[in-house]
Amino acid sequence: MSKIGIFNWHRLFKTDKFYLLVCASSLFVLIILFAITVFLLFSAMPALESSQTGLLGISWYKSSEANNILDFCLPLVFSTILSSLLALVIALPVSIGVALFITFYAPPKLAAIASWVIDILASIPSIVYGLWGIFVLCPFLNVFTGNLISSPPRVLFTLSIVLAVMIIPIITSIIRDIYTGTPHLDIEAAYGLGATKWEMIRLSVLPYGAQGAMSAAMLGLGRALGETMAVLIILSPGRSYSFNIFGVSSHQTIAGNIAAQFPEANSLGVSLLTVTGLVLFIITFLVNWAAKKIAKSGVANV
Amino acid sequence: MKNSVFTSLCFLCLVLVLSGCSVDNDVSQFKLNPNQSNIDLGLRGQMAGSGATSQKNSIDAWKLGYNAYYPNISVAYDPKGSGGGRKDIISGASIFAASDKLLSDEEIKLSKSVCGSNGVIQIPTYISKIEIIFNLDNIKSLSLDNKTITAIFSGKITNWSDSLIKLQNPQINLPNKLITVVRRSDDSGTNDTLTSFFSKTDESLWQWGETSSWPSSIASLSQGAQGTAGVVIVSSLGDGTISYADSAQVGTLGVVAMDNPIMQISYMLACSHYNDIIAGQFVKSWLGYIISKSGQELSHNVSNSMVLNDSQTNQAKKDIDSITIGKENV
């Protein structure tokens, strides 16, 4: 009777102050999300409504030689997704490996230390990763790439490695928690059938954690998509749909482009950058939605 | 202030790298001892300017020199590139600007709405050399003729062991190494100077004319970096890189010996009229100091720039005198 809709109105009006507080907190988050959406839409409007001639007044739009806004956004979207997916391809196997090691192989003391190191990695600011990328990783890769590609290798490949290192902690810690929760019965059953440790992991742990791992991967992907500082520092910017991840000046991500052009942007330029920001917002929203969806179906199966 | 973090980082690094040739020392050598009567304590405030990265070193020195006369003025200069500087003064976002390139007619017209009926005035303040710089192990100097340089930057010559380069440097053991061109990715006046030089050298090699942003059709043959500091840092990190920078900022990189130097005139931009009395007085005294003998010699000392000749100085003086201050009577 007292429960109408999602709120427990009875408790609300019976001055349960704590209940009021937690409701207000969650409402606050909703309002912020709404405000960001409205802000993006409003400030994107001038650019969306502007004619090509108007947009050509923006120097960096002009030099991009784009025919319209879509034409301007798509190479950025392409590079953003390409770099993030590549980062994910590198990060996911490593993360699963680390998580398995911590949960099943490492002696308890070492596992604790490894977990702690992973958490430390997660807390390093992205600009530090960026500086490491340009001052350490680039010269290091240069030793191997030598005469094959432009030197220093400020290319998408290098960027993806740095992005991978950045998202490994978050993916690892989620997967670790899931693997820890593998039902003991499953594990015992596998061993009961005479499975080795690897076979036990393959039969019990990996299937149990598959959905969770996918969902963790999506969250990592979300982080890689929006990364700015590392991109700005490492990548030599360019515009193309090239799959050549070793090609210099061929890629630029949405977030990197916003950071690079913002200081020089007039009001229409800022609006155009907001359009690209809106696109990024939609992409990350979809990725998170997919993560939720996968996680949910995982729970349903278990 | 609105500088991208990468640029500021690069500058930070560059300052660290260059701290060996400490600006302070050079200033103290030219320590101006203004008479007590020359010091103006009355003029006070914070004055903002922005623009060319090429003049940055000299502006840092000029700030100190100027403060000997006007200790209560603090000058803030944002080296965001010539294009950004021109935009700022046209829109009224800054009091003065520095640019490696003269304003276009369009820009002059635009400037008339905020800068008085005569628009922006442009005074040459900094004449310097653009050096072609490179990073090759154990090689500090190379000679290349104009045509070879143009061919390298247009992507026609891609290896250091190219026969044309070898021919001009018989005594040097050139490595079989890819040439990486590093160029400015921002809207840069140095790009204008350089591309105009390429264009004049050989139009069939360099087909893109004079441009402040690197031609997009050959952009993927080279690496982009922001600001003079950016290209210098990327060049030092790479192996076999070639780039260009104001001679004051080449750092420890190798320098190409050229047939004839690429000179660049960089300008200070100011309004022809200031409604704000303090801003007007500041600009007049600031520019007056920069073109003065001591200002120019200071710049020569820190940036190796050329001192303005007499006719340039006289013209500049006239232009500065023509700046009007106060309520405009239209």
Side-chain angles (χ1 to χ4, degrees):
Chain A
M1 188 168 62
S2 60
K3 211 166 185 177
I4 306 166
I6 49 171
F7 285 111
N8 186 338
W9 297 103
H10 185 64
R11 286 183 77 181
L12 196 62
F13 290 114
K14 259 185 77 184
T15 66
D16 183 341
K17 289 213 180 70
F18 185 70
Y19 183 68
L20 210 66
L21 202 67
V22 288
C23 282
S25 306
S26 36
L27 199 64
F28 176 72
V29 177
L30 276 180
I31 290 172
I32 293 287
L33 183 66
F34 179 72
I36 291 174
T37 318
V38 171
F39 151 76
L40 282 174
L41 287 172
F42 260 88
S43 40
M45 264 310 147
L48 290 172
E49 283 171 349
S50 168
S51 63
Q52 171 75 356
T53 339
L55 289 172
L56 284 175
I58 308 166
S59 59
W60 41 265
Y61 178 82
K62 193 177 174 193
S63 55
S64 78
E65 292 173 358
N67 297 318
N68 51 51
I69 289 193
L70 194 67
D71 200 15
F72 180 78
C73 290
L74 284 181
L76 297 174
V77 172
F78 173 81
S79 304
T80 308
I81 293 177
L82 183 65
S83 61
S84 302
L85 280 182
L86 188 59
L88 192 59
V89 167
I90 302 170
L92 193 56
V94 177
S95 300
I96 291 176
V98 175
L100 285 175
F101 175 76
I102 292 177
T103 344
F104 296 107
Y105 287 91
K109 258 192 188 154
L110 188 59
I113 293 172
S115 294
W116 180 69
V117 169
I118 292 287
D119 290 342
I120 295 271
L121 272 178
S123 62
I124 294 177
S126 59
I127 187 157
V128 176
Y129 281 111
L131 289 174
W132 173 76
I134 188 84
F135 287 118
V136 181
L137 190 61
C138 271
F140 176 73
L141 289 176
N142 202 20
V143 176
F144 302 100
T145 54
N147 253 359
L148 299 170
I149 62 172
S150 184
S151 159
R154 296 165 64 225
V155 296
L156 195 90
F157 176 71
T158 312
L159 173 67
S160 292
I161 293 180
V162 175
L163 289 179
V165 175
M166 292 173 71
I167 62 175
I168 281 174
I170 184 167
I171 301 180
T172 305
S173 62
I174 295 174
I175 294 184
R176 180 192 59 197
D177 291 348
I178 293 167
Y179 285 173
T180 316
T182 313
H184 265 276
L185 274 179
D186 290 17
I187 298 175
E188 301 295 328
Y191 279 139
L193 290 171
T196 61
K197 197 159 203 173
W198 154 240
E199 284 164 342
M200 180 278 288
I201 287 171
R202 194 164 55 91
L203 289 170
S204 309
V205 181
L206 292 183
Y208 173 80
Q211 245 108 11
M214 275 304 285
S215 152
M218 288 294 160
L219 286 177
L221 186 65
R223 181 169 180 199
L225 286 168
E227 176 46 39
T228 310
M229 281 322 300
V231 180
L232 196 63
I233 293 175
I234 295 167
L235 209 55
S236 168
R239 300 169 51 80
S240 76
Y241 298 105
S242 165
F243 278 103
N244 179 6
I245 55 173
F246 297 103
V248 85
S249 302
S250 314
H251 304 96
Q252 173 71 303
T253 71
I254 295 177
N257 184 59
I258 293 176
Q261 307 299 1
F262 193 81
E264 297 279 314
N266 55 15
S267 59
L268 189 62
V270 170
S271 174
L272 179 56
L273 292 177
T274 319
V275 174
T276 63
L278 188 63
V279 174
L280 183 61
F281 183 71
I282 293 168
I283 295 173
T284 43
F285 190 82
L286 288 177
V287 166
N288 274 298
W289 177 77
K292 277 268 158 59
K293 189 108 180 157
I294 291 167
K296 233 183 212 159
S297 69
V299 170
N301 284 354
V302 171
Chain B
M1 212 179 295
K2 280 199 303 171
N3 211 339
S4 85
V5 181
F6 182 58
T7 324
S8 5
L9 266 174
C10 292
F11 275 115
L12 185 75
C13 299
L14 191 80
V15 167
L16 292 176
V17 170
L18 290 183
S19 50
C21 68
S22 167
V23 172
D24 284 10
N25 282 343
D26 296 325
V27 173
S28 61
Q29 204 179 328
F30 276 87
K31 197 77 181 180
L32 312 152
N33 290 314
N35 308 328
Q36 205 62 37
S37 59
N38 269 347
I39 301 176
D40 187 341
L41 294 166
L43 198 57
R44 55 175 64 234
Q46 280 201 321
M47 303 296 159
S50 63
T53 54
S54 58
Q55 294 201 48
K56 195 202 171 276
N57 272 5
S58 287
I59 289 175
D60 284 345
W62 284 330
K63 277 196 241 177
L64 296 175
Y66 178 78
N67 277 9
Y69 293 89
Y70 299 92
N72 290 331
I73 290 276
S74 94
V75 183
Y77 182 71
D78 180 2
K80 54 162 71 165
S82 299
R86 291 199 299 274
K87 254 181 235 160
D88 279 354
I89 192 152
I90 289 169
S91 65
S94 66
I95 295 171
F96 72 95
S99 170
D100 298 339
K101 190 188 165 191
L102 287 167
L103 265 68
S104 65
D105 293 347
E106 176 94 355
E107 285 172 320
I108 296 220
K109 220 195 296 172
L110 275 172
S111 73
K112 286 180 180 168
S113 59
V114 289
C115 264
S117 48
N118 288 330
V120 163
I121 59 163
Q122 321 182 59
I123 297 157
T125 49
Y126 181 79
I127 304 175
S128 66
K129 217 158 105 182
I130 305 288
E131 302 280 16
I132 304 293
I133 53 179
F134 64 90
N135 190 16
L136 277 175
D137 284 344
N138 303 324
I139 302 176
K140 281 285 146 227
S141 180
L142 276 179
S143 8
L144 298 173
D145 62 18
N146 295 351
K147 203 162 169 174
T148 314
I149 292 171
T150 309
I152 291 174
F153 278 90
S154 24
K156 296 283 186 313
I157 295 180
T158 55
N159 198 303
W160 284 108
S161 59
D162 190 276
S163 54
L164 250 175
I165 304 180
K166 272 188 170 160
L167 202 67
Q168 293 167 59
N169 299 280
Q171 73 287 8
I172 295 172
N173 186 18
L174 284 153
N176 173 20
K177 200 170 269 174
L178 217 62
I179 301 180
T180 297
V181 173
V182 182
R183 39 89 189 167
R184 295 277 296 270
S185 61
D186 49 338
D187 197 1
S188 154
T190 314
N191 277 351
D192 277 293
T193 309
L194 198 78
T195 51
S196 142
F197 163 80
F198 292 154
S199 195
K200 273 177 210 149
T201 304
D202 193 336
E203 272 198 322
S204 58
L205 267 175
W206 185 265
Q207 310 150 9
W208 303 275
E210 183 189 325
T211 167
S212 59
S213 55
W214 204 254
S216 58
S217 53
I218 53 166
S220 63
L221 299 178
S222 57
Q223 293 203 20
Q226 264 191 337
T228 304
V231 293
V232 170
I233 289 199
V234 170
S235 303
S236 337
L237 286 174
D239 190 12
T241 48
I242 188 163
S243 188
Y244 48 94
D246 190 280
S247 65
Q249 301 181 40
V250 298
T252 55
L253 293 162
V255 174
V256 170
M258 301 175 65
D259 305 347
N260 42 352
I262 309 173
M263 298 309 291
Q264 167 161 286
I265 302 183
S266 191
Y267 303 83
M268 280 282 177
L269 312 181
C271 284
S272 57
H273 178 85
Y274 287 90
N275 285 328
D276 186 282
I277 293 170
I278 294 174
Q281 282 176 343
F282 157 71
V283 166
K284 283 187 159 214
S285 57
W286 167 246
L287 295 180
Y289 168 71
I290 289 172
I291 63 153
S292 73
K293 197 161 179 279
S294 51
Q296 286 294 306
E297 277 173 357
L298 182 63
S299 171
H300 171 73
N301 205 264
V302 294
S303 309
N304 203 22
S305 66
M306 302 207 353
V307 174
L308 295 176
N309 64 31
D310 286 350
S311 73
Q312 284 165 326
T313 310
N314 287 335
Q315 183 58 44
K317 267 190 190 139
K318 245 186 249 167
D319 288 341
I320 295 169
D321 286 340
S322 76
I323 296 174
T324 53
I325 304 173
K327 285 265 179 292
E328 198 166 18
N329 36 346
V330 183

